[in-house]
Amino acid sequence: MDYIKVEQLGNDTVISGLADFDLDDILDCGQCFRWEKLETGAWRGLVRGCCRTVKQEKDTLVFCDVGMDEFNAIWYDYFDFGRDYGKVREILSKDDTMRRALEFTPGMRVLRQEPWEALCSFILSQNNNIKRIRGLVARLCENFGEPVPGGFAFPSPECIASLSEDELLPVRCGFRAGYVLDAARKVSSGAVDFSAIDKLPLQEAGLELQKIRGVGPKVAACALLYGFDRVESVPVDVWIDRALKEFYPDGMPAQIAGIAGIGQQYLFHYIRNRDAAVKK
DNA sequence: CGCCAGGCTTCTA
DNA sequence: TAGAAGCATGGC
């Protein structure tokens, strides 16, 4: 357990006694694309059709206008509170590089997002920058998602499968439009079966996702890590590739294999931000 | 304006 | 089968 207490206070659900949890790092590290930071420092995001505001002050996390039922149904899993990050840190710390990455961003966590949203988002992420990915995902939702209080839900595979490439033009996702359509068709038809993927070994699960045009090893690994709760999945993008060459020329240590994807998240943030941090 | 972006597909040797 | 070019778009 990485917190001491969860309770409902008025209309809010409040977590207190948080350890190693930094909302800014978690929501702004390129693993999710539907959160925006408000002037107040709070974050507003849309998850599973629920638009909510979350704010952190030191070791307290407040889910505004969220009751315990909703917290248990959505947010407990989304922030992966069922996982003992103390244990995660203990395992990763046995490796010197991981220990440095942990010390650099102690409050990082890997979110558990919806499988389809994660897959679709990371298809859009290819050869793209994080700022623009947010824009593409936002336009996809605004144009085709179900309206919900505060915004638009992420459009279903069935919804997107019914569209043409021309209809996707307003999203301005360029060559990725065909990829998104192929993904939506294969997922909605069952040609790519999420419940089957859940049961497959990692390697085969990745190959299953790669039946989709525009899904290669990296996008598949991202979908598995962020959308299918496969914390052993390690997406290797240009940054992680550099990190692997620098720190692990012979591969990542076997002792962290079971949670290497979480380690990857610390490493990703570390390799991207360490130089900027030194300049401060 | 030119370079590049949490890659992948296609072409070429 | 490895390596490079091409891909839409826009942030910087």
Side-chain angles (χ1 to χ4, degrees):
Chain A
M1 200 75 107
D2 305 308
Y3 54 88
I4 293 172
K5 183 166 65 175
V6 184
E7 60 190 331
Q8 185 160 353
L9 295 176
N11 293 327
D12 306 334
T13 293
V14 178
I15 299 184
S16 50
L18 269 179
D20 297 321
F21 186 105
D22 189 310
L23 197 59
D24 288 348
D25 288 336
I26 294 166
L27 297 180
D28 197 24
C29 68
Q31 66 173 318
C32 55
F33 307 101
R34 296 213 68 194
W35 290 88
E36 62 167 339
K37 192 168 188 178
L38 307 175
E39 300 280 334
T40 60
W43 288 85
R44 195 169 73 104
L46 222 154
V47 175
R48 291 168 63 177
C50 290
C51 184
R52 297 291 181 261
T53 300
V54 185
K55 58 189 176 187
Q56 178 175 16
E57 284 183 28
K58 298 179 181 174
D59 68 345
T60 300
L61 194 62
V62 179
F63 292 85
C64 303
D65 298 316
V66 171
M68 283 296 286
D69 287 347
E70 183 185 308
F71 175 80
N72 289 326
I74 297 179
W75 304 104
Y76 180 86
D77 287 330
Y78 185 76
F79 284 99
D80 205 15
F81 281 122
R83 188 180 306 280
D84 181 353
Y85 263 70
K87 184 67 179 173
V88 167
R89 298 164 55 74
E90 185 187 321
I91 294 169
L92 293 178
S93 295
K94 291 173 184 165
D95 176 77
D96 283 343
T97 299
M98 284 294 164
R99 186 172 43 71
R100 260 176 281 147
L102 278 170
E103 286 167 0
F104 187 76
T105 321
M108 183 61 75
R109 292 177 86 95
V110 172
L111 296 169
R112 292 175 60 182
Q113 303 175 58
E114 292 292 286
W116 165 246
E117 177 171 341
L119 172 62
C120 200
S121 297
F122 280 94
I123 287 172
L124 293 173
S125 81
Q126 66 180 265
N127 192 237
N128 217 337
N129 58 66
I130 292 176
K131 175 96 176 179
R132 203 168 89 88
I133 299 164
R134 290 178 187 276
L136 298 189
V137 173
R139 286 193 293 276
L140 185 69
C141 295
E142 287 161 13
N143 280 281
F144 307 111
E146 287 289 320
V148 296
F152 297 87
F154 198 91
S156 68
E158 292 74 19
C159 167
I160 294 178
S162 73
L163 303 172
S164 65
E165 266 194 59
D166 280 353
E167 289 175 292
L168 273 179
L169 283 175
V171 178
R172 302 204 298 279
C173 59
F175 62 88
R176 305 164 194 84
Y179 300 163
V180 170
L181 287 183
D182 191 56
R185 289 194 202 107
K186 287 186 171 136
V187 170
S188 62
S189 74
V192 170
D193 182 353
F194 283 179
S195 60
I197 287 172
D198 275 327
K199 300 186 185 78
L200 289 174
L202 186 70
Q203 178 97 14
E204 294 163 41
L207 292 175
E208 194 64 20
L209 288 170
Q210 289 178 52
K211 288 180 179 173
I212 297 165
R213 278 180 54 80
V215 177
K218 193 272 179 180
V219 170
C222 281
L224 290 168
L225 174 62
Y226 301 117
F228 290 79
D229 194 28
R230 298 297 283 264
V231 291
E232 75 273 34
S233 174
V234 179
V236 180
D237 72 324
V238 288
W239 291 95
I240 292 296
D241 193 49
R242 281 174 215 160
L244 290 177
K245 288 188 170 71
E246 180 177 345
F247 301 117
Y248 303 113
D250 301 318
M252 288 172 87
Q255 56 187 350
I256 72 163
I259 53 169
I262 303 179
Q264 174 272 155
Q265 197 63 36
Y266 290 100
L267 195 57
F268 178 73
H269 193 267
Y270 177 62
I271 194 85
R272 285 186 47 141
N273 296 292
R274 60 175 176 176
D275 297 332
V278 169
K279 287 176 189 167
K280 280 183 184 172

